[in-house]
Amino acid sequence: MKRLFASFATLVLLALPGFAQQPAAAPPQPSTHHAVKTPPPPSADAIWADLMEGNKRFMAGKPKARQLVSLRESLASSQHPNVIVLACSDSRVAPELVFDKSLGELFVVRSAGNIADAIGVGSIEYAVEHLGSSVLVVMGHTKCGAVTAACSGEKMPSASLQTIVDKINPAVAIAAKSAKGNELIEDAIVQNVHRSAQDVLASSEILQHFVADGKLKVIEAEYQLDSGAVVRLDKAQH
């Protein structure tokens, strides 16, 4: 009986106007859409070259023109800076200006003497692990007041200031082996950049892991107050 009912229902449907003329559904076609491949991140050398181009524009007083309103709006939901800069808090050393960069391009951590405590290291870890930053620039500068204070050998007037000097003193001790006077200050500034870069990595297993995997490059540099140039310090060391 069930089979007879099913056959009858089929005949009724076929008799309906237009039903028999309906074409069979076309089989699904294979998709020709291919996922867009995300381009690989730029190399550390390419990133540094781009920073140097920006520094040249800064030195020449010819910064790029930028549409800051639209740029701000486009960055409201996320950020992916390629570069972290650990720099001195000195008001004359603004990384965004020095490298002619804008919103969303640099993740900047600043402190007197371009040194990083646990909070600074954690900030750098965040940029590397969560934002995808692949280059860390540790940047000192000529005539650094924090390093000059450490070179003086004087006791600082507060415990907080003494903490800064204590962090820089090992670099001064290294420089003092071969330099005196004004040369001591300049050599200590360079040594402090080097030691600061070492200390950041020594303080963080996360950053060590990214460096070992080739996902993070540490670059040491010095900003020249007089000329506005940024000079790379680590080429001879690596």
Side-chain angles (χ1 to χ4, degrees), residues 162-182:
Q162 189 63 46
T163 298
I164 297 172
V165 167
D166 288 344
K167 191 76 171 177
I168 298 172
N169 277 335
V172 175
I174 295 171
K177 294 177 181 179
S178 58
K180 303 294 180 185
N182 289 333

Side-chain angles (χ1 to χ4, degrees), residues 11-12 22 25 41 48 54 71 77 86 117 143 148-149 160 170 175 180 189 199 202 206 213-214 216 228 234 237:
L11 290 172
V12 171
Q22 295 296 322
W48 179 251
L71 182 57
S77 60
L86 173 58
D117 59 8
K143 306 174 185 177
T148 301
S160 298
K180 303 294 180 185
I189 288 169
D199 288 347
I206 291 174
D213 285 352
L216 177 65
D234 62 311
Q237 300 167 4

Side-chain angles (χ1 to χ4, degrees), residues 32-129:
T32 58
H33 175 74
H34 297 285
V36 177
K37 292 183 179 179
T38 303
S43 68
D45 287 342
I47 289 173
W48 179 251
D50 180 64
L51 291 175
M52 288 297 92
E53 286 300 316
N55 182 235
K56 289 178 182 177
R57 293 192 298 272
F58 168 73
M59 292 172 64
K62 298 178 179 179
K64 278 185 178 180
R66 293 177 170 90
Q67 299 298 322
L68 291 179
V69 173
S70 59
L71 182 57
R72 183 192 70 223
E73 292 171 350
S74 70
L75 291 166
S77 60
S78 64
Q79 60 167 326
H80 302 284
N82 287 323
V83 184
I84 309 157
V85 182
L86 173 58
C88 184
S89 297
D90 193 299
S91 63
R92 300 165 292 179
V93 186
E96 293 88 348
L97 296 178
V98 166
F99 291 116
D100 188 29
K101 294 300 175 186
S102 188
L103 299 174
E105 295 186 280
L106 301 180
F107 190 93
V108 179
V109 179
R110 298 180 70 176
S111 67
N114 45 272
I115 53 180
D117 59 8
I119 293 174
V121 172
S123 299
I124 295 168
E125 289 177 342
Y126 172 78
V128 170
E129 194 167 34

Side-chain angles (χ1 to χ4, degrees), residues 147 150-153 168-192 195:
V147 176
C151 288
S152 73
I168 298 172
N169 277 335
V172 175
I174 295 171
K177 294 177 181 179
S178 58
K180 303 294 180 185
N182 289 333
E183 288 185 4
L184 171 61
I185 295 173
E186 177 53 33
D187 286 0
I189 288 169
V190 172
Q191 288 295 334
N192 185 53
R195 282 195 60 86

